[in-house]
Every structure is written in C-alpha cells, then in structure tokens.
Amino acid sequence: MLSRFSSPSLSLPLPFRHSLKPFSSLSLSPIQPNSSPPPSLSSSPPLFLRPLSHSTSLSSLLSFHHWAKAQALSVPSLSSDLLRQLSWFLQDTTSPHPSQPSTVLLRTELDNLYTLWRERVEQRKPFQYIVGCEHWRELVLVVQEGVLIPRPETEILVDLVQEVEGFGDGVWVDLGTGSGALAVAIGKLMDGESKGRVLGTDVSPVAVEVARFNVQRYGLEGKVEIRQGAWFEPLEDMKGKIAGIVSNPPYIPTSDLPGLQPEVGWYEPKLALDGGKDGIDHLLSICEGLSVALKPGGFFAFETNGDKQSELLANHLSTEYRSLFQKVKMVSDYSGIKRFVTGYRL
Amino acid sequence: MECPMTLPTKVGNVPLNFLSCSIGLNSSRFFSSTHLISASSSWSLCSLTYSFPEKNSSRHLVPVHSTSSSEAGVESNSETSEWAIQDFYALRKEVEATSERVKEIMASAGLEQLEAERDSLDKKSADSSLWDDPSKAQEIMVALTDVKDKIKTLKDFMTQIEEAETIVTLTEELESTDTSLLQEALTTIRRLNKGLNQYEMTQLLSGPYDKEGAVINISAGAGGTDAQDWADMLLRMYVRWGEKQRYKVKVTEKSLGEEAGIKSATIEVEGRYAYGYLSGEKGTHRIVRQSPFNSKGLRQTSFAGVEVMPLLPESTDLDIPEQDLEITTSRAGGSGGQNVNKVETAVRIVHIPTGVTVRCTEERSQLANKTKALIRLKAKLLVIAEEQRASEIKQIRGDAVKAEWGQQIRNYVFHPYKLVKDLRTSEETSNIAAVMEGELDPFIRAYLAHKFTTARSEASIV
C-alpha cells in the first residue's frame, strides 16, 4: 500500500491488489501441485545443500545417466538444454567417493534422482526448483517454490548500480526482493567499513525467509536487512533518506500469464509475475512513492517487460513527474530489448 | 646417421611422450636421437615427462676389467672383451655426433650476443630508479633471469661435451677400457642429448603463449549432417590426443546436430605447452569418404573448422574499451525477462573493429559466461596480434583475420584410398585410423619444424 507515502496534494489510486490465486483457477494448467506452503528451509534444506549421506555404485549412476539422457533426447526442441541441465543436476547432487572409485556419494537416494528428473522432463518442473538453487552473477542463490527464480537480465541492474557515483556509502533498497538476489549482490559490492546498507522488502513471507537465508549464506547480516511488507510500506523510517532504489517488480500483463512457458506459468508464484492489465500496475505504483522515498539526487532503476513498457514508463516519468526526476533513460539488455528505466531524483 | 643406442618405446607401463622418435638424415636435425625429456630440467613439460631410469643404460656395456666391483657382482664370459670394444666405437661415434650438435646450437644461439644482453640487463637492474615503473621492472627481471638461464644451459652443454670427449680421447690414448669411465661418458652423452632436445623444443615453442594450455573450438562447416559427424570425429581425435599426452582434457561445450554429430564443441586442454603443440591445428580440415548420411552412399567431401586459442588465466592484462564490444545473448524467449525460465545463458561477444567473435555457453550464470567469453576474446586477439606482428590490438587487420582462420590445412581421405595429408608440410600417412584415434604427433612435429625453418629463413633474409 502506497498511501503511507502519499503527500496530501497528490491523490493516489489504491494500487492494484491481487490475491494469490490457487493454481486450479488457471484453466490451462493440467498439473495440480499441492497447495500447502513450501517447507521451511531449516527443516528441509534445498537439495544442493543436503549432505552426501547416500551412495550408490558407479554402474548404477551410469545407468541413471543413460536413462536420463534418453529422456532428454525424447524432447528434440529442448534436448540440448536438457542435456546441459542433466550434467548440472549431477554436479549438484553427486560427488565421487574419496576413496572408493566404484562408489558415488549422493545427496538423496538414487530413486529420487529418477523421480526428480522425470519431474523435470515430463512435468516441466523448473530445474532451479529441483536442485534448490540458481546461479546468478557470481552467486549461488537458494530458490524454492513460492519465490521467483532470478532472471539473467536482472544481473545488469547490479552493473547499473555500480556505475552510480558513491553508491557504496548510501542506503539502497530492493523492492520486491524475492530470493534477495539484488540485495545480496549490491550488499556484496559494498565495502565492509562503509556506511552503505541494503534493505530488501517483499510482501511474501516465503520470499522473506529465503532472502534472509541467502543473506546469511553470504555473511551479509551486517549489511543487508530484509523486511516483510508491500513495496515502501516497511520503509517508513527511511523516507527521504534512500540513496537508490532498484526493483524487478511483477510486470507481465495478466492476460499473458496462461500462455507462459510451463516452467514459469505452472510453477512460479503469480504474485511475482502478475503486473495487471498492461503489466505496469506495480511499476506505476512504485513510481508514485519514488519521490518521497528517495533523497535528493537519489537513483532508481527498474526492470520492465520490454520496449513498450520501458517507453511508457520513461515517458511517464519525464512528463508527469517532470519536476521531480531527471536524466531518465532506457537501458537495453543483451538481447537488444529496452529492459531497464533509470534516472535520478532532482 | 643412425643412433646406435635405440631406447625402448615403453618402459614398464608408461608410454613415452611423443617427442621420442628415431632419426634419419632426411628428417630435421631437431630430433636427432631417441631420448626422453627429463623431469628435472627447468623446461620440463610437466605432463609429458617420464624420468629415464639411468640403470637401463648398462645394457650394452658389461663391466669387464672393472677395478672397483667385486668378483661376485661381475658378469664375465669369453666374449665380453670384444663386446666392450664394439661399444667403445659406438660411444665414440655418438660423442662425435653430439659434439656436432652442440657446435651447431652454440653457433645459432650466439653466446657472445647473449652475454652482452645479460650485461646490459644487469646494468639496468642495478639502476636505482628501476622500480619506479613496476611492470617494466618486472619485465627486465624476467628477461634477465631468462637470459642467464639460457647462458648457463649453453655453458653446461659445452662442459658436458668436453667431459665426454676427454674420456673418449683418454681411452684411445691409454688403450685401456675402463668401463666405469666409459659408462660415465655414456651417461653424460645421454643427459646432454636430452638437454639439447629440450633446448631445441623450447626454441620452436618460443611464442609468447606457447607455454599455456589451449582452448580448441571445432565447428562443422559445409556438408550438412556429414560435416556435423565429421566435426564429432575431430572432437574425439583431439580428446584422444590430449589424453595420450596426459593433459587434463575437458569438453566444456557441445552443441548437438539435429540428426547426428555436433554443430560445435569447445575443448579445454590444461597443461604446459598444450597451446604450443596445438596452435598448428588451426584451420579447415577436409574429409573425403563414402558418407553414411548420403542416401546413395556416394563419396562426399565435408569441412570442419578448428580454432585454437591459449587458455589464459583470468588475470590477463588487456583492456578492451567497452564501445569496441558488442555483447549479445540469444533471444530464445521472445520477450525474455520474467516471461521465460532460461537455464542456458550463453553470451556472444564481437570485437567490432576486427570482427573477432567468441561465444561462451558452458557456465551457469550469464555473468560467468560473459567473463569467460571476454577472457577467450582477449586470448584470441592476443594470438592474432602476435601472428600479424601487431604490437597493439588496435593494429590488427580485420580482413586478414578471416582468411587466416579459414585456411585449409589438412585432408583426410577415407575412400577410395586411405590418406591423411597436411597441406603445409606435406607430412602424410595412410594410417588414418590411428590419426583419428589421436596420433597427431608426426603432423605436429612436422608443422613445428616447418614453422621454425620458415621463421629462421625470414630472419636470415632480414
């Protein structure tokens, strides 16, 4: 809710509220995953972090590999990708035995490897949810169902932050932090001694738990703080003091959701994807709270759904908020799509 | 001239590295006797070494009039005295041959010049203002160590050959056969020849990146599925070669063809001098065979391109301005971003001024792929700069790049006859099966020798 930050002269519409729709309401998804909340990280660690307490013979593992390869090749359009994922799957779940060459150590029972790979190929469960992690920039982030898997495009946002003069000394905010990717990456860039800090906010308790776990994994508890709440809601105390705001908010138009790639549409949280009718509802909401949150000269950078949205947003900021922001520009991603809108508060 | 001391090709279960070969007058002087590279020398090719057990050398010389050994340990029979004399003549011959080698090497090395260079570098290193420019200082110190090492090695050669010659002369003059002395001479000569081989090899592999590991990139060329299968065969060939050399070989990327074979693949060969040996593989490889993919089983020609770059460490010092780079990723998802779950994050970088392109797809994050691609691009540019004798990346001639990297270098004919022929050196063999199993050494050696002679003749013209 942005009403906390609204100044009296601006009448703000209530942000588009959407509830987390249960999977079964999407007519095109044939799979009905269980709707109970995902397991907590402390009780059930992600697969790639589990101890190597199981084992199997090398020949059994080779049989699995043989079978898994055949499974991958059975989907010609995805086979190249799947083969690569298979080798990473084994990288994350197995290890050679230190002294017995014909034995392999596993992080889960061999039977489960079969089950998980079947889930990947037949049920299109995202690879990252299966192994429990996503390699992103130089980090390995824990992810699980209920949390958006960080996208490669978003990596560039960190580069844009790094280019801001004196960024290391200010308080930075990652709105809708999800797994905490941006928050952790920016926190890592900051010198331990500096005044710089990062605050990540997310409305989802699952995301908050995962983000905190990732912050802890990288030893950044002193630098990065995760607060639960929607957008600027938990940042009341930081009004006007924020040096920079980044966000990768949900930006997919609601009508596009059913047509998404199954790994995305059937498994990732709609809360992290749905941007309303044109996909820009959240982006616009954030823009409305921007000027009050940022300190003078503060920087912002947002990710959007591409050319159209970026142009709309950049235009919006340069006209509606002409007196508040400057140096508004669009930055392309490596596919040549205008992916980011950046600028400074006057 | 035949070397009388032919060594076994295998000692125990350890296969010898490819540098051991037999000599003939027609082959280049560079590999003039069968020897192994010792592990102890400073130029040791660490993954290729096998230290030669000295005790084997006593095969021919049996102690006859040994003054030090006890009766019990000495084998003696009525034929041994004759045997010893034959072996002395053989030893004398070998000493003469080795002496010739040393003279040649000393002549071409220019000891006086090297000593002058050392003196000048010595003076520079004593200068108090040397470390004002740390990188220049480092360069000077490294060069000084290198030239000092070289001088020491050359002087060692001279000492060793003089030792052996003295023993031979003494034996002749005194007309006695002190076999322990002759044994010593034999050992010295063997060690000396090993050293000479290594010296000559390092002369051949003296390019700035020759000592590094290598990255091989294979891509299927014209010929459709047959070419893709051919590329796969080359992949196997290089992996087998690397394994035989005891290098650490890793296929980091492989893009499968639709029906068979591969569209492209990348191999990392880790180990000293891998780049020096493999750099000659760069170019187009042509196959002629009855294609299993041709419906009528007709004879078909296909091509595959091989690129080789040094495997440079991340710390490689080369700054390329960002505006010279075009960085792109595949647009598989259409809209990208939140719309897509992309596990593959391949990055392609084009160096705009020269057109040199690299693509990296094997890492797990986009940033990691970008970083690796950048390192590979730098390696490629540095190699091209060196080949074109450009002192800066800025001076690289882009038009010449494409021509160089696409030149046809070797033909592999499976039908109607079997022949592998290198177009640059004329080296050929009909044992194509062995070549496809990684037996590339004759071709590599021939190319290195060819490169050296070409460089030598260019230098002498200048």
Side-chain angles (χ1 to χ4, degrees):
Chain A
M1 288 261 229
L2 300 175
S3 41
R4 308 267 179 107
F5 276 177
S6 55
S7 61
S9 52
L10 293 169
S11 60
L12 303 169
L14 281 175
F16 178 86
R17 300 282 342 256
H18 51 76
S19 51
L20 178 61
K21 294 194 188 69
F23 251 103
S24 47
S25 71
L26 291 172
S27 51
L28 287 179
S29 61
I31 310 297
Q32 309 245 348
N34 71 61
S35 46
S36 52
S40 111
L41 284 169
S42 38
S43 58
S44 173
L47 179 55
F48 83 111
L49 288 179
R50 288 187 211 152
L52 291 158
S53 48
H54 305 263
S55 66
T56 189
S57 68
L58 182 60
S59 55
S60 298
L61 188 70
L62 288 173
S63 300
F64 164 76
H65 188 233
H66 187 77
W67 168 85
K69 260 175 78 170
Q71 287 272 295
L73 293 170
S74 70
V75 192
S77 55
L78 300 174
S79 56
S80 245
D81 254 355
L82 285 172
L83 287 172
R84 187 180 295 113
Q85 288 168 35
L86 176 59
S87 79
W88 292 346
F89 180 54
L90 290 172
Q91 223 177 73
D92 285 351
T93 56
T94 73
S95 190
H97 193 283
S99 49
Q100 297 166 30
S102 56
T103 308
V104 181
L105 298 175
L106 308 174
R107 300 189 195 277
T108 184
E109 305 88 353
L110 182 65
D111 279 349
N112 201 22
L113 291 184
Y114 280 91
T115 308
L116 292 171
W117 191 246
R118 216 177 265 122
E119 278 181 8
R120 174 71 199 101
V121 183
E122 291 172 18
Q123 293 168 43
R124 307 291 292 269
K125 185 163 177 187
F127 170 73
Q128 297 93 334
Y129 283 165
I130 290 178
V131 292
C133 69
E134 152 94 338
H135 287 233
W136 190 82
R137 287 186 68 95
E138 77 278 14
L139 310 169
V140 179
L141 298 161
V142 168
V143 292
Q144 60 169 74
E145 272 180 86
V147 157
L148 184 82
I149 297 166
R151 305 303 205 242
E153 287 87 347
T154 318
E155 286 184 4
I156 296 175
L157 270 179
V158 182
D159 294 330
L160 297 176
V161 168
Q162 237 181 332
E163 286 165 16
V164 176
E165 226 182 281
F167 85 91
D169 291 320
V171 176
W172 283 74
V173 164
D174 175 16
L175 294 173
T177 193
S179 59
L182 286 166
V184 170
I186 296 170
K188 262 190 104 210
L189 287 175
M190 291 174 170
D191 190 342
E193 324 269 297
S194 75
K195 293 186 280 146
R197 279 201 299 142
V198 185
L199 296 167
T201 72
D202 204 290
V203 69
S204 152
V206 176
V208 169
E209 194 201 351
V210 173
R212 285 186 181 147
F213 193 85
N214 281 318
V215 169
Q216 202 182 49
R217 253 169 65 79
Y218 281 95
L220 290 167
E221 297 95 316
K223 275 284 180 204
V224 181
E225 186 194 332
I226 309 294
R227 296 183 183 178
Q228 184 172 350
W231 307 125
F232 296 105
E233 200 178 83
L235 300 171
E236 193 67 28
D237 59 324
M238 302 302 304
K239 233 168 32 171
K241 301 184 193 155
I242 299 171
I245 297 177
V246 295
S247 184
N248 177 24
Y251 53 62
I252 298 184
T254 315
S255 51
D256 284 357
L257 292 172
L260 291 176
Q261 178 187 353
E263 283 84 354
V264 180
W266 300 350
Y267 291 91
E268 289 192 274
K270 293 295 173 296
L271 185 64
L273 297 165
D274 194 340
K277 181 166 157 288
D278 295 312
I280 50 168
D281 289 2
H282 295 290
L283 283 163
L284 289 177
S285 303
I286 292 172
C287 285
E288 272 147 26
L290 207 52
S291 59
V292 174
L294 283 173
K295 71 179 202 201
F299 174 81
F300 63 85
F302 308 132
E303 184 178 319
T304 75
N305 200 19
D307 293 0
K308 240 175 63 178
Q309 277 192 4
S310 289
E311 281 159 16
L312 208 142
L313 207 67
N315 195 43
H316 186 68
L317 287 165
S318 315
T319 51
E320 297 292 309
Y321 299 106
R322 177 172 345 116
S323 55
L324 292 169
F325 302 110
Q326 60 167 339
K327 297 196 235 171
V328 177
K329 60 179 183 157
M330 297 180 286
V331 180
S332 295
D333 60 23
Y334 292 138
S335 295
I337 295 173
K338 297 192 189 94
R339 181 66 59 188
F340 309 100
V341 177
T342 70
Y344 290 83
R345 194 204 185 289
L346 273 162
Chain B
M1 147 186 41
E2 278 294 316
C3 166
M5 314 287 182
T6 44
L7 300 173
T9 50
K10 250 192 193 198
V11 185
N13 285 325
V14 180
L16 303 182
N17 69 60
F18 83 95
L19 288 168
S20 56
C21 62
S22 55
I23 57 149
L25 250 184
N26 49 3
S27 74
S28 67
R29 283 286 283 144
F30 305 126
F31 305 95
S32 50
S33 46
T34 53
H35 286 288
L36 298 167
I37 301 296
S38 134
S40 52
S41 159
S42 58
W43 293 316
S44 64
L45 312 165
C46 45
S47 56
L48 306 181
T49 59
Y50 175 76
S51 51
F52 182 71
E54 301 292 340
K55 45 185 179 295
N56 242 22
S57 52
S58 59
R59 239 180 357 127
H60 291 277
L61 279 178
V62 175
V64 179
H65 307 294
S66 172
T67 47
S68 49
S69 60
S70 63
E71 280 299 302
V74 174
E75 232 179 74
S76 64
N77 56 51
S78 54
E79 295 174 6
T80 48
S81 46
E82 248 186 87
W83 220 22
I85 295 189
Q86 275 180 359
D87 280 308
F88 168 73
Y89 285 140
L91 173 64
R92 189 177 67 180
K93 216 170 161 198
E94 191 170 5
V95 170
E96 277 169 20
T98 309
S99 177
E100 278 304 309
R101 260 188 104 183
V102 174
K103 285 204 191 84
E104 259 191 40
I105 283 182
M106 297 304 293
S108 67
L111 190 59
E112 270 179 37
Q113 233 175 326
L114 288 172
E115 285 176 330
E117 202 185 312
R118 177 204 55 201
D119 292 338
S120 126
L121 284 170
D122 240 341
K123 240 194 329 200
K124 284 198 194 144
S125 71
D127 192 332
S128 52
S129 65
L130 177 72
W131 287 96
D132 288 348
D133 184 349
S135 59
K136 191 87 216 256
Q138 181 77 345
E139 261 181 52
I140 292 176
M141 297 313 284
V142 168
L144 181 58
T145 315
D146 276 349
V147 74
K148 274 186 176 167
D149 279 349
K150 201 164 171 180
I151 293 172
K152 177 172 183 303
T153 308
L154 291 169
K155 291 205 162 147
D156 280 349
F157 289 162
M158 281 175 53
T159 317
Q160 286 176 304
I161 193 65
E162 275 161 25
E163 255 179 47
E165 282 172 339
T166 310
I167 292 175
V168 167
T169 316
L170 267 179
T171 310
E172 278 180 322
E173 285 177 5
L174 301 178
E175 284 183 22
S176 76
T177 328
D178 184 340
T179 46
S180 65
L181 258 188
L182 294 177
Q183 192 64 28
E184 205 187 298
L186 185 61
T187 313
T188 304
I189 285 295
R190 293 222 166 138
R191 205 182 318 129
L192 177 54
N193 272 305
K194 259 184 256 174
L196 292 171
N197 278 350
Q198 249 176 294
Y199 176 83
E200 281 171 345
M201 179 52 64
T202 55
Q203 293 307 101
L204 288 182
L205 297 177
S206 55
Y209 312 108
D210 284 348
K211 290 195 200 66
E212 313 291 344
V215 178
I216 308 173
N217 194 271
I218 305 169
S219 41
T225 310
D226 191 60
Q228 289 172 347
D229 186 58
W230 171 226
D232 202 1
M233 288 165 70
L234 284 176
L235 171 64
R236 194 190 135 73
M237 179 179 86
Y238 287 117
V239 169
R240 290 294 293 127
W241 177 86
E243 287 170 352
K244 285 182 176 174
Q245 303 305 315
R246 320 253 236 113
Y247 283 128
K248 190 165 150 206
V249 181
K250 205 165 62 159
V251 178
T252 56
E253 185 262 325
K254 201 159 102 164
S255 169
L256 299 178
E258 275 98 28
E259 286 175 39
I262 57 169
K263 287 196 195 138
S264 69
T266 306
I267 314 171
E268 277 184 12
V269 183
E270 258 178 87
R272 217 141 181 260
Y273 286 107
Y275 178 71
Y277 296 133
L278 290 168
S279 57
E281 296 300 299
K282 183 185 67 189
T284 304
H285 298 242
R286 175 170 166 263
I287 183 178
V288 180
R289 66 169 171 176
Q290 273 177 316
S291 172
F293 303 97
N294 186 299
S295 50
K296 300 193 195 103
L298 292 174
R299 200 173 78 201
Q300 188 170 334
T301 298
S302 292
F303 299 87
V306 172
E307 275 184 48
V308 187
M309 290 160 273
L311 184 59
L312 295 178
E314 269 193 53
S315 53
T316 307
D317 206 17
L318 177 64
D319 258 320
I320 308 178
E322 258 200 58
Q323 63 261 32
D324 283 354
L325 299 176
E326 189 192 289
I327 303 174
T328 50
T329 57
S330 56
R331 273 180 82 143
S335 344
Q338 290 169 12
N339 293 276
V340 182
N341 175 308
K342 247 171 83 164
V343 185
E344 179 254 308
T345 50
V347 173
R348 187 168 169 267
I349 305 185
V350 180
H351 182 242
I352 304 167
T354 61
V356 174
T357 306
V358 218
R359 188 170 179 264
C360 184
T361 181
E362 63 245 29
E363 296 296 316
R364 288 179 73 161
S365 81
Q366 184 178 269
L367 182 65
N369 276 321
K370 181 179 158 203
T371 308
K372 204 164 189 189
L374 207 51
I375 293 173
R376 295 233 180 111
L377 179 72
K378 288 180 185 179
K380 219 161 149 174
L381 288 173
L382 287 171
V383 167
I384 294 172
E386 203 248 321
E387 283 171 359
Q388 290 189 9
R389 316 278 160 102
S391 50
E392 280 180 53
I393 300 292
K394 283 204 276 262
Q395 298 171 343
I396 294 178
R397 300 185 319 271
D399 49 325
V401 173
K402 260 219 132 113
E404 256 272 357
W405 290 65
Q407 258 176 15
Q408 216 181 98
I409 60 160
R410 207 176 290 145
N411 287 331
Y412 305 69
V413 184
F414 285 80
H415 177 85
Y417 49 85
K418 295 207 193 317
L419 183 73
V420 182
K421 182 159 177 159
D422 196 304
L423 302 173
R424 304 160 300 181
T425 61
S426 299
E427 179 74 20
E428 59 179 51
T429 178
S430 51
N431 193 353
I432 193 166
V435 174
M436 297 320 300
E437 271 300 309
E439 288 299 328
L440 296 171
D441 301 343
F443 293 99
I444 291 177
R445 269 190 309 236
Y447 177 73
L448 282 176
H450 159 86
K451 204 167 85 162
F452 189 73
T453 13
T454 318
R456 266 287 205 87
S457 54
E458 274 176 19
S460 58
I461 290 170
V462 163

